[in-house]
Amino acid sequence: LLNGEPVSMRGFGRHEDFPLVGRAEVGAVLVRDHACLRWVGANSYRTAHYPYSEVDLDLADEHGLLVVSESPCVGLSFADAPAIVQQRQAQATRALAELLARDCCRTCVVAWSVCNEPGGPQSVPTAEAKRQQTEALLELVALARAEGTRLVTFANIPEHCDEANRACDFLSLNEYVGWYYDVGKPLAEIGRQLEAKFVALEAEYAVLSPNWRERTRLPLYSTMFRGIRFFVAPRLHEEYAAQHRTPAPML
């Protein structure tokens, strides 16, 4: 729910980079990106995997886009020495606190993502490491929830979901079918495979509602789907250019 009304989020996990300049803030590129989002019918995006520039969020505010604002925490490995783990957790906490302080008054920000892909089996090789990961993630979720006005989540690969996911308001899932595995598999088969996987996850991570004696299923949010590439025919490019052939804005 957003302001008491159901909302369906349709959009992308973006990155702040562009082939000609790499990772940099280019006003014309940001304007183009937001125009493309509106053109394809998107209403939201996730700041993968770090806080975006304030100029970017200015545009999102202006155009009414919904933003999942993500902390720059990625790969919180708990296989390292205790001192390194503690230092990394302190850094993750500090980075998240800075994000909350900067973006808490942003109209476009509707949810916080406290980290991205905290780790897989190599990051938590023992039961104790797994316990430490869950505890650390719960601390980050609690910090974001203390902001008090927005939903909280963190992005994870479906096979690496953690018990801390149950404390989130929705499951954020990164899926790499066709990229790291099942390359070349027919789309119809991939669709059936993903549907079965997500239905199973939805049931597994159902949580007890505080107000009802029943289990409530967490909503699923696909934060990344990487591997199947779509190519637009040249004719469509020409039609789009003809319809939008206007002078570029001066920035």
Side-chain angles (χ1 to χ4, degrees):
L1 297 179
L2 179 63
N3 296 329
E5 298 292 331
V7 61
S8 176
M9 296 181 69
R10 307 176 305 277
F12 302 90
R14 294 177 57 215
H15 282 287
E16 275 190 325
D17 53 23
F18 188 67
L20 296 180
V21 295
R23 184 179 174 186
E25 180 184 310
V26 182
V29 172
L30 298 183
V31 170
R32 183 216 61 166
D33 282 355
H34 285 76
C36 288
L37 286 167
R38 297 196 306 275
W39 180 54
V40 300
N43 66 356
S44 60
Y45 62 82
R46 163 186 170 231
T47 66
H49 310 289
Y50 36 78
Y52 281 7
S53 73
E54 295 191 69
V55 176
D56 213 319
L57 298 182
D58 286 341
L59 286 168
D61 279 337
E62 179 181 347
H63 295 295
L65 291 168
L66 310 178
V67 176
V68 177
S69 192
E70 188 163 87
S71 167
C73 305
V74 181
L76 304 178
S77 174
F78 292 85
D80 295 321
I84 296 177
V85 171
Q86 292 176 5
Q87 182 179 7
R88 185 184 295 120
Q89 181 67 8
Q91 185 177 357
T93 301
R94 182 170 59 253
L96 177 58
E98 291 173 354
L99 172 66
L100 298 174
R102 193 197 73 166
D103 292 349
C104 65
C105 294
R106 285 287 183 177
T107 304
C108 61
V109 175
V110 297
W112 307 113
S113 176
V114 303
C115 68
N116 174 66
E117 297 182 12
Q122 293 181 345
S123 300
V124 284
T126 65
E128 175 59 19
K130 182 71 172 176
R131 184 197 65 78
Q132 291 179 1
Q133 174 178 272
T134 299
E135 183 177 296
L137 291 172
L138 287 174
E139 289 178 2
L140 296 177
V141 169
L143 176 60
R145 195 172 298 287
E147 185 271 331
T149 64
R150 293 170 175 86
L151 302 176
V152 180
T153 188
F154 63 87
N156 219 338
I157 297 173
E159 290 78 10
H160 299 166
C161 282
D162 187 271
E163 281 297 307
N165 281 107
R166 301 183 192 276
C168 296
D169 294 300
F170 55 94
L171 282 175
S172 295
L173 304 175
N174 296 342
E175 178 57 57
Y176 298 96
V177 61
W179 187 268
Y180 293 131
Y181 66 95
D182 288 343
V183 177
K185 180 177 286 188
L187 287 177
E189 188 174 347
I190 287 176
R192 291 191 296 269
Q193 174 182 321
L194 290 179
E195 182 178 8
K197 179 186 294 187
F198 289 170
V199 167
L201 273 172
E202 189 181 32
E204 180 181 356
Y205 283 88
V207 295
L208 287 174
S209 169
N211 301 319
W212 303 92
R213 293 181 179 177
E214 62 182 18
R215 293 177 69 82
T216 303
R217 292 186 175 183
L218 291 176
L220 298 184
Y221 181 55
S222 180
T223 42
M224 181 177 291
F225 187 82
R226 185 175 184 179
I228 301 175
R229 303 175 181 177
F230 297 91
F231 296 90
V232 181
R235 174 180 172 81
L236 296 181
H237 280 301
E238 294 169 3
E239 291 175 353
Y240 177 78
Q243 294 172 9
H244 298 83
R245 192 167 290 148
T246 56
M250 299 297 293
L251 299 175

